Amino acid sequence: MADLANVNPESRAKPLLDAPDKMIKVRELFGVDSDMEVPAFSEADERVPDLDPTYVFDPDTTLAICAGFAKNRRVMVQGYHGTGKSTHIEQVAARLNWPLIRINLDAHISRIDLIGRDAIVLKDGQQVTEFREGLLPWALQTPTALVFDEYDAGRPDVMFVIQRVLETEGKLTLLDQNRVIRPNPWFRLFATTNTVGLGDTTGLYHGTQQINQGQMDRWNIIVTLNYLPAATEAQIVLAKSGEYDHEGGRQEVERMIKVAGLSRQGFMNGDISTVMSPRTVISWAQNALIFNDVGFAFRLSFLNKCDEAERPLVAEYYQRVFGKDLPESVVGKA
């Protein structure tokens, strides 16, 4: 599972292997207490995500994703931003050597982008019009895992295209080509989403939409990946910032996570409108190394993202844990 040099994906029209050629025990590979076995590839091609040996797996989410790979279930991972939803799927795929493609369903992704379009190409010195398949038909015909990021931000016309392939044996009809594409038996489909198809109820995720409940019903497994226990989150931060891996550094990381916990509790209580994600904690830890000042790094990493009226309260969270006042705190302004 060594890193591969960047290669233009067009250099290989199909994945290296046509099908998985070995079985791996989930307990041995991920340390999750389960007897499940997952098919895997013995060789990696350029579409297999890079392996992160320090990644910390959430047991429930890992089992759900492994079930998607092993049993061809459609798996949706839902949760707050920065919890590592997409990365979780990528790191499972990396350990299985399973080719994976991520598509971010932003407002610019259209039906044509997914399905394909007519393109003018040169053949025998003549310009001819030829249909070029989009990523969806291509992936559907190969042993590839397709991940739709920000699934709840997709345009309605795009969502109905995806709905066709959500069934396990869902065929895709290309009307322009009079073709019906049958899915490869090793094609897998995943999605990540901040909401669970009911729209934005918190005010955090502008641009998300309610998802057709007929479509939501087609997702076989929906798993929630939210903020991890403090000890697990500390493991992640230490893995990403090894400079803290000593007694004093570990204590500092624990204090950072306590501040993050206070911000999350404040968000749930409705006191503040911005929540501190694990990604932000990692940024804070790394910025503190750059500036050699934990308080200044906190202001740059999180405090300045908050509503100005809420900053004194967020600064108080920092003061409670670190025992130091920031310029934004009530005492600092006095």
Side-chain angles (χ1 to χ4, degrees), residues 44 46 53 68 78 124 150 191 205 248 302 315-316:
E46 63 268 20
Q78 181 266 335
D124 302 325
E150 315 302 341
Y205 304 114
F302 180 66
E316 185 186 322

Side-chain angles (χ1 to χ4, degrees), residues 74-294:
R74 303 302 191 230
V75 180
M76 176 180 284
V77 184
Q78 181 266 335
Y80 285 125
H81 57 287
T83 52
K85 300 181 293 296
S86 305
T87 310
H88 211 303
I89 300 170
E90 280 189 330
Q91 288 307 308
V92 172
R95 284 155 177 77
L96 301 176
N97 282 334
W98 205 298
L100 179 144
I101 293 175
R102 284 172 59 179
I103 299 178
N104 194 304
L105 290 184
D106 58 50
H108 296 288
I109 293 291
S110 67
R111 179 183 181 279
I112 289 175
D113 293 321
L114 287 186
I115 297 294
R117 68 186 76 201
D118 287 328
I120 297 174
V121 296
L122 280 176
K123 275 194 176 178
D124 302 325
Q126 300 290 320
Q127 287 188 345
V128 296
T129 302
E130 185 179 86
F131 182 76
R132 290 291 177 91
E133 286 182 349
L135 269 176
L136 184 57
W138 179 88
L140 200 63
Q141 298 171 82
T142 60
T144 300
L146 189 58
V147 181
F148 288 115
D149 281 332
E150 315 302 341
Y151 189 74
D152 47 2
R155 290 164 38 172
D157 58 326
V158 171
M159 304 305 278
F160 281 109
V161 170
I162 296 170
Q163 184 163 321
R164 302 182 200 175
V165 298
L166 278 174
E167 302 288 350
T168 304
E169 300 300 325
K171 304 177 186 68
L172 179 64
T173 304
L174 297 180
L175 299 177
D176 299 340
Q177 300 296 302
N178 294 327
R179 285 175 60 203
V180 176
I181 297 177
R182 298 174 184 274
N184 184 292
W186 299 107
F187 168 73
R188 298 294 183 262
L189 190 60
F190 299 90
T192 67
T193 172
N194 293 127
T195 69
V196 74
L198 301 175
D200 180 21
T201 58
T202 64
L204 280 178
Y205 304 114
H206 299 295
T208 56
Q209 305 172 43
Q210 290 187 346
I211 300 174
N212 183 309
Q213 287 301 300
Q215 181 168 144
M216 283 297 295
D217 194 52
R218 287 172 164 81
W219 288 95
N220 308 122
I221 297 174
I222 297 179
V223 62
T224 298
L225 178 61
N226 274 332
Y227 302 121
L228 302 170
T232 307
E233 192 168 341
Q235 274 185 275
I236 295 170
V237 177
L238 290 171
K240 296 293 183 184
S241 304
E243 296 90 340
Y244 287 95
D245 200 6
H246 54 85
E247 187 175 351
R250 286 191 288 272
Q251 290 175 353
E252 190 146 285
V253 167
E254 286 174 10
R255 287 197 289 267
M256 290 177 179
I257 291 169
K258 282 182 183 176
V259 176
L262 288 172
S263 80
R264 292 163 195 168
Q265 192 60 50
F267 171 76
M268 285 186 271
N269 293 341
D271 298 330
I272 61 174
S273 56
T274 308
V275 69
M276 196 171 188
S277 71
R279 183 190 295 133
T280 304
V281 178
I282 292 169
S283 294
W284 179 13
Q286 292 171 342
N287 289 341
L289 293 172
I290 294 170
F291 299 109
N292 198 28
D293 186 329
V294 177

Side-chain angles (χ1 to χ4, degrees), residues 15-29:
L16 195 60
L17 299 176
D18 292 330
D21 54 355
K22 63 178 183 178
M23 297 296 289
I24 294 180
K25 294 182 184 297
V26 168
R27 181 178 284 106
E28 293 175 5
L29 188 60

